[in-house]
Amino acid sequence: MPISIAVAMWFWGRVKGPEPVRVLSRLAMLVFCQVTAVVMVFVMVNNANLIYGNWDDLLGTGNHVRAVPPVPPQEPAAAGQGTAAPAGGGGGAPAGDAAHPAANKVQQSFRGVDDPKVPGDVQKTDLKGQLSGVDGEVLVWLPPQYNDPAFKDKKFPVVELIPGYPGSSSTWYGTLKVSEQLKPLMQQGKVAPFILVSPRTLLLGNHTDAGCTDVPGKVNADTWLTRDVPQMILDNFRADPSADRWGIAGYSAGAHCAAKLSLAHPNRYRAGVSLSGYNDPATEKDSLVGKDAKLREANNPVSILKGSAQPPKVSLYVSGNKGDGYEDGQAIAAAAKAPTTVQVVETTGPHSSDVWKDMVPGVFEWLTGVIPVQ
């Protein structure tokens, strides 16, 4: 912006021609200064909050859906609650799914994240989802104990981190400072040494929210998050395959995802954390799911609980201000039956990353109580 102002000042008295031309030229200079000021403020806000990861995300021109194949059947929840691997017993298909033999392990290459706001010990890989047909980046952070020789034979618990909409796979690390806040707590033994995983969730172009859902003919977002990404973690890291050692956490639209995915897949997740989320997918105006009556109902956490053949063995932490997630948490708690447990926490403050960032230590101490150190 300073450059645009300097340019305008330089040319202001040098514009030649008839009076109407000079007036229009100077008006164009003022508009140019205003536009550059707005762009500069937007860039500053985006850089501070990591809302968009790149220009394609901002412009809605990115599409990360390579294909929308039929998804292999999932393992029955009743057979796997608390014991089955999040994405399968070491292969691309769920454990015990004889109709779909295990796929070969896919070894990924990892690199640093090219973002000064993201800590240097966060790794990034580009994953081609074998089951979902989704392509996207996945960011991974390993706890301090991971490379300690004393833990060389240990398998670690995992928490998937889901950003809001719009949101970047970097936001949890760069804005909420999750790894920087948790590293000393892990070293002190106050928080379990979780592997932290944040996958891309902006999958569709045209500013459309996939809602972490499999939508026939459109996107397999659920399968991407709950099968392809966890399987990649199992293939490349010493991650514990038991669902009892996996959790999923999100804020805003990501909170909705965390609640519904943990309840819908108790054979993959033991705990879910929802920070300022919602139950009705249509709350997000850009939600693809919210525009379909059947999908909207099927992806409401309350509907999932009421429709479960047996209550899922899942613990939920749901927080929100009044009018911003708190009542939704109460509705989930009212619909839950043992062994499902729901802790609803009322918060104060705006719907913002500043609130969620301050909650990170307490949330992960709660997760440690559900998924304890082994």
Side-chain angles (χ1 to χ4, degrees):
M1 187 177 74
I3 294 177
S4 65
I5 295 175
V7 170
M9 292 178 65
W10 175 262
F11 284 104
W12 190 267
R14 293 172 170 78
V15 177
K16 301 183 182 300
E19 182 67 19
V21 172
R22 295 199 303 272
V23 170
L24 288 175
S25 298
R26 288 166 179 159
L27 180 61
M29 293 180 197
L30 292 174
V31 170
F32 177 68
C33 289
Q34 290 295 318
V35 169
T36 55
V38 170
V39 171
M40 185 183 74
V41 171
F42 173 82
V43 170
M44 291 173 64
V45 171
N46 185 72
N47 288 345
N49 296 281
L50 297 175
I51 299 170
Y52 295 101
N54 53 51
W55 285 103
D56 280 337
D57 288 345
L58 170 62
L59 299 175
T61 54
N63 190 326
H64 293 263
V65 179
R66 181 179 72 257
V68 192
V71 177
Q74 303 176 24
E75 70 275 33
Q81 287 190 12
T83 57
D97 187 357
H100 300 276
N104 294 327
K105 286 187 176 183
V106 177
Q107 297 296 323
Q108 295 288 125
S109 60
F110 291 82
R111 62 188 185 279
V113 180
D114 186 20
D115 190 323
K117 286 185 66 68
V118 177
D121 55 356
V122 177
Q123 307 175 61
K124 178 179 179 179
T125 190
D126 296 313
L127 176 65
K128 289 185 174 295
Q130 294 187 58
L131 298 179
S132 65
V134 168
D135 297 341
E137 79 277 5
V138 183
L139 273 59
V140 180
W141 179 81
L142 300 176
Q145 292 89 338
Y146 191 88
N147 292 314
D148 185 335
F151 292 80
K152 64 181 180 64
D153 297 320
K154 181 176 178 61
K155 292 187 176 180
F156 290 81
V158 183
V159 178
E160 278 190 76
L161 305 172
I162 311 299
Y165 173 84
S168 162
S169 53
S170 297
T171 309
W172 271 93
Y173 303 104
T175 305
L176 272 61
K177 308 292 184 185
V178 62
S179 59
E180 293 177 69
Q181 293 194 75
L182 295 184
K183 185 174 182 177
L185 297 177
M186 291 179 181
Q187 291 170 325
Q188 297 163 21
K190 294 180 179 179
V191 169
F194 295 107
I195 295 173
L196 304 179
V197 182
S198 185
R200 164 174 283 275
T201 55
L202 284 179
L203 305 178
L204 299 170
N206 300 317
H207 300 291
T208 300
D209 177 20
C212 305
T213 300
D214 286 357
V215 181
K218 299 288 186 180
V219 60
N220 290 327
D222 181 320
T223 299
W224 161 252
L225 294 170
T226 67
R227 300 177 75 174
D228 282 333
V229 171
Q231 190 61 56
M232 183 274 289
I233 297 299
L234 291 173
D235 286 349
N236 289 270
F237 300 98
R238 299 196 312 277
D240 195 316
S242 169
D244 282 338
R245 306 285 285 159
W246 281 67
I248 184 169
Y251 63 86
S252 191
H256 166 72
C257 292
K260 72 157 188 170
L261 292 176
S262 59
L263 293 174
H265 302 292
N267 51 346
R268 297 194 174 108
Y269 304 103
R270 177 68 179 85
V273 173
S274 169
L275 306 179
S276 303
Y278 50 81
N279 292 337
D280 182 357
T283 301
E284 171 48 62
K285 64 181 180 63
D286 291 333
S287 170
L288 182 64
V289 177
K291 294 176 173 61
D292 183 289
K294 290 184 178 179
L295 287 174
R296 178 179 175 184
E297 177 70 16
N299 285 276
N300 187 314
V302 173
S303 300
I304 293 172
L305 282 170
K306 291 181 177 179
S308 297
Q310 64 183 66
K313 183 186 175 184
V314 171
S315 294
L316 287 181
Y317 180 104
V318 185
S319 74
N321 204 343
K322 288 182 178 177
D324 186 24
Y326 180 67
E327 293 83 359
D328 294 79
Q330 289 181 312
I332 295 174
K337 299 178 181 178
T340 308
T341 63
V342 183
Q343 180 173 333
V344 183
V345 178
E346 183 179 354
T347 61
T348 58
H351 190 87
S352 75
S353 58
D354 288 337
V355 172
W356 306 319
K357 180 176 68 175
D358 290 345
M359 297 182 69
V360 164
V363 163
F364 275 82
E365 288 176 5
W366 176 85
L367 274 169
T368 299
V370 177
I371 305 174
V373 176
Q374 288 186 348

